[in-house]
Amino acid sequence: MDSSTQTFQPRVMSIKLWPPSQSTRFMLVERIIKNLTTPSIFSRKYGLLSKEEAEEDAKQVEDMAFVTANQHFEKEPDGDGSSAVQIYAKESSRLMLDILKRGPRVKEDGEVLISEKSTTRGTVFDISGGRRAFIDAEEAEVLLEPLKDPGNLFTKICFSNRSFGLDAARVAEPILFSIKDRLTEVDLSDFIAGRSEGDALEVMNIFSAALEGCDLRYLDLSNNAMGEKGVRAFGLLLRSQKNLEELYLMNDGISEEAARAVRELIPSTDKLRILQFHNNMTGDEGAISISEIVKSSPALEDFRCSSTRVGSEGGVALAEAIGTCTRLKKLDLRDNMFGVEAGVALSKSISSFPGLTEIYLSYLNLEDEGAEALANALKDSAPSLEVLEVAGNDITAKGAVSIAACVATKQFLSKLYLAENELKDDGVILIGKALQDGHGQLSEVDFSTNSIRRAGARFVAQILVQKPGFKLLNINANYISEEGIDEVKEIFKNSPNMLGSLDENDPDGEDYDEDAEENGDHDDELESKLKGLDIKQEE
């Protein structure tokens, strides 16, 4: 036969993708170990696994994923194994994510306890990972597919960071309706970003109707720019909640009218432990509505109403309402326009919080009078206080006397923030003396932007460098001389990481005492004058 006319039949090769080789399985285990032991958003929230834990978990994850994929392959023995490989990868990822969210395991008597739910079927359904993105109906079908499984054990859903359009919301509606009876936690933060107002409101209505009647403990509607219309769009969901323990409405455009709507729509706040309204435009009238919610929340432990444009009138209303919350542990009112009157009003409620551990009162225009009233009240209450933040309040050395007396009694204090005040050397040394004895848990102190000079910087450095668990002193943006900088660095020479940046320090700052500058001996005189000053600590 003429070779030019000869034809060849192509050889058909069958490639089997399943089962994977032992080396492939080993490589997957190694990859899982790396993911479980690398710091991430999950490790910051749930804790980082040790190498030992990760190795054991990774082997178990790979083995379980292999079994699941192999069972699928055995049902389709004539296939090339590609679908089994997909299941193998998908199941490995799902189980690994469950472990990341579970965090380090609890050990009792040397035995490792592994939750069946965390290693087989997770209770948290979270699609917030990856880049922020719009999703359409087709993608929603794929993303929400696991929720359709009648055997799933999901009790928490997180749709944050994905923007739902109308078509995607309609896909989600029947799925959410089918599982709402077992949901206890719902996170719908930042789930309508970039949508028109009309579409966003309709999406909210759809989700609200689908979830109406679920018995939630946790609800996060933050970062949705809702305003009053948005709050009312969630009316069906909000009205049906009688056992809420945590409610987050941060960066939602909560105006006076929106705050009033929140108060009207939630039928009961008896069990509310956490209530957060950060970064809204609530104002005084809105704060009055929020104060009504607070008054009806006797179990409140964590209240945040920061950056909400609340002035004196609203601040007084909030202060009086907070006084009814005897279980309060954390209070954050930063970045409002309270002024002295609201600060004094808040001081009258402080004694109601014996379990208070964190209080954030920065940028409230407290001045010396308001700061003194609060410090005096805190001195006689909150024995377990760990965090005290009073930055940016125009506090001078006069107000520092009361703050020092307060700080001296707080032996569990971990963090003290007094940046952007007018303490100067006198005030800083007073507070430094209050920290001199005890305070073994102190880890961070911030005296930045306080017109501090050489004496004050040197004094607090000498006090704090000796604290066993101390981590960071911030004295940046002050008027410390070059000699003073060198002295402070020498004090921290064995632990330089404990001293914050000094890049913004101005050794030629103009905020000097003119007479002292002429004499050149202000630092030494001040230190000598304060040597005999004692801060008495209460027994």
Side-chain angles (χ1 to χ4, degrees):
M1 182 181 289
D2 189 346
S3 62
S4 64
T5 61
Q6 185 177 357
T7 60
F8 293 92
Q9 294 296 322
R11 179 181 296 177
V12 177
M13 298 184 65
S14 177
I15 300 175
K16 288 286 187 179
L17 301 177
W18 191 265
S21 66
Q22 284 299 321
S23 62
T24 298
R25 295 184 67 179
F26 178 76
M27 285 174 62
L28 179 60
V29 170
E30 290 296 304
R31 191 177 305 162
I32 295 172
I33 291 172
K34 183 177 180 181
N35 286 331
L36 294 177
T37 56
T38 300
S40 65
I41 58 173
F42 296 106
S43 66
R44 287 197 293 271
K45 184 172 183 180
Y46 302 105
L48 188 66
L49 273 67
S50 68
K51 184 73 177 296
E52 180 183 5
E53 284 181 308
E55 288 175 351
E56 186 170 347
D57 282 337
K59 292 175 184 176
Q60 189 172 23
V61 164
E62 189 279 332
D63 185 61
M64 293 173 67
F66 177 84
V67 170
T68 301
N70 200 52
Q71 288 173 347
H72 172 83
F73 178 73
E74 288 174 353
K75 294 177 183 177
E76 300 179 358
D78 295 331
D80 64 358
S82 59
S83 60
V85 170
Q86 291 177 352
I87 290 173
Y88 181 53
K90 184 176 180 181
E91 192 69 3
S92 297
S93 296
R94 184 182 70 78
L95 293 171
M96 182 179 68
L97 187 60
D98 285 343
I99 290 172
L100 285 169
K101 291 178 178 178
R102 180 207 67 200
R105 292 168 293 182
V106 178
K107 294 184 179 180
E108 292 181 359
D109 300 325
E111 295 295 323
V112 178
L113 304 180
I114 305 178
S115 166
E116 181 181 349
K117 290 183 179 180
S118 68
T119 57
T120 55
R121 296 181 179 273
T123 60
V124 179
F125 179 77
D126 187 350
I127 60 172
S128 65
R131 62 183 180 85
R132 188 180 188 188
F134 286 87
I135 61 171
D136 56 20
E138 185 178 355
E139 188 175 1
E141 287 278 7
V142 175
L143 284 172
L144 304 183
E145 181 66 28
L147 293 176
K148 296 180 181 179
D149 181 355
N152 79 71
L153 299 173
F154 297 121
T155 59
K156 176 179 179 178
I157 58 172
C158 178
F159 288 179
S160 182
N161 203 43
R162 300 298 179 104
S163 180
F164 280 75
L166 284 173
D167 290 343
R170 292 187 180 110
V171 169
E173 183 177 14
I175 298 173
L176 294 177
F177 184 83
S178 69
I179 65 170
K180 69 178 181 180
D181 288 343
R182 63 174 176 272
L183 290 179
T184 59
E185 299 182 46
V186 169
D187 184 345
L188 297 179
S189 61
D190 193 22
F191 86 123
I192 52 166
R195 304 293 180 179
S196 67
E197 180 180 299
D199 284 358
L201 289 173
E202 185 58 28
V203 169
M204 292 179 194
N205 276 309
I206 290 171
F207 275 78
S208 178
L211 293 169
E212 180 186 10
C214 57
D215 189 14
L216 299 181
R217 302 295 181 272
Y218 172 107
L219 178 60
D220 190 345
L221 300 177
S222 301
N223 302 308
N224 285 313
M226 296 192 298
E228 181 187 10
K229 292 180 182 179
V231 172
R232 294 195 181 280
F234 275 112
L236 292 176
L237 173 60
L238 292 173
R239 284 195 185 97
S240 64
Q241 300 310 305
K242 298 180 181 179
N243 294 303
L244 266 183
E245 295 179 10
E246 300 183 38
L247 177 61
Y248 301 85
L249 294 168
M250 299 184 286
N251 195 29
D252 271 331
I254 301 295
S255 60
E256 171 189 338
E257 295 79 13
R260 188 180 302 121
V262 174
R263 185 192 67 194
E264 293 172 4
L265 291 172
I266 299 180
S268 173
T269 53
D270 288 347
K271 298 180 181 179
L272 202 61
R273 296 184 299 102
I274 300 176
L275 178 61
Q276 300 206 355
F277 282 96
H278 170 68
N279 197 29
N280 286 297
M281 48 188 185
T282 310
D284 282 342
E285 292 300 320
I288 291 172
S289 293
I290 293 174
S291 71
E292 293 299 319
I293 300 174
V294 172
K295 285 179 183 177
S296 303
S297 306
L300 201 62
E301 297 177 2
D302 181 341
F303 178 56
R304 184 179 187 184
C305 194
S306 53
S307 301
T308 47
R309 306 184 187 180
V310 177
S312 182
E313 182 183 1
V316 170
L318 285 174
E320 292 174 350
I322 292 168
T324 64
C325 304
T326 58
R327 300 181 186 179
L328 203 66
K329 296 178 181 178
K330 182 177 179 181
L331 177 61
D332 187 347
L333 299 172
R334 283 175 286 190
D335 191 24
N336 283 299
M337 300 170 283
F338 276 25
V340 173
E341 184 180 358
V344 171
L346 182 60
S347 72
K348 296 176 182 177
S349 297
I350 291 291
S351 60
S352 302
F353 318 141
L356 190 69
T357 57
E358 300 179 39
I359 187 165
Y360 301 87
L361 303 173
S362 293
Y363 309 105
L364 293 177
N365 299 325
L366 295 175
E367 302 179 9
D368 280 337
E369 185 178 349
E372 286 169 346
L374 285 161
N376 290 335
L378 280 171
K379 181 171 70 73
D380 299 321
S381 59
S384 300
L385 192 68
E386 297 173 9
V387 178
L388 175 59
E389 183 177 310
V390 204
N393 278 299
D394 296 321
I395 304 170
T396 71
K398 177 179 179 294
V401 175
S402 296
I403 292 175
C406 169
V407 166
T409 68
K410 306 305 172 192
Q411 289 299 310
F412 294 99
L413 197 65
S414 172
K415 299 177 181 179
L416 176 63
Y417 302 111
L418 285 157
E420 297 186 52
N421 283 299
E422 291 295 330
L423 297 175
K424 299 188 177 181
D425 282 358
D426 304 60
V428 167
I429 291 176
L430 275 170
I431 295 169
K433 280 183 172 288
L435 296 170
Q436 193 163 10
D437 297 325
H439 295 90
Q441 297 183 28
L442 195 64
S443 62
E444 293 183 27
V445 172
D446 190 343
F447 284 128
S448 59
T449 318
N450 266 288
S451 302
I452 302 171
R453 297 176 66 196
R454 179 181 176 184
R458 186 173 62 226
F459 187 86
V460 295
Q462 290 170 335
I463 295 294
L464 298 176
V465 74
Q466 302 176 48
K467 302 297 178 186
F470 194 73
K471 295 179 181 178
L472 182 64
L473 169 63
N474 185 357
I475 50 174
N476 204 10
N478 282 299
Y479 301 142
I480 309 168
S481 66
E482 293 180 2
E483 294 83 358
I485 293 293
D486 290 340
E487 288 175 338
V488 170
K489 288 183 176 180
E490 177 65 19
I491 291 170
F492 283 100
K493 66 180 181 181
N494 294 325
S495 47
N497 292 334
M498 287 166 51
L499 182 61
S501 171
L502 293 165
D503 292 347
E504 297 178 26
N505 179 67
D506 181 7
D508 300 318
E510 297 178 358
D511 196 16
Y512 289 173
D513 181 289
E514 292 182 0
D515 293 336
E517 187 175 19
E518 290 176 3
N519 296 332
D521 58 0
H522 173 272
D523 291 344
D524 294 335
E525 285 187 4
L526 176 60
E527 194 165 330
S528 175
K529 180 171 64 176
L530 292 171
K531 273 184 180 177
L533 184 61
D534 291 323
I535 301 293
K536 293 185 178 179
Q537 301 187 35
E538 296 185 356
E539 296 294 331

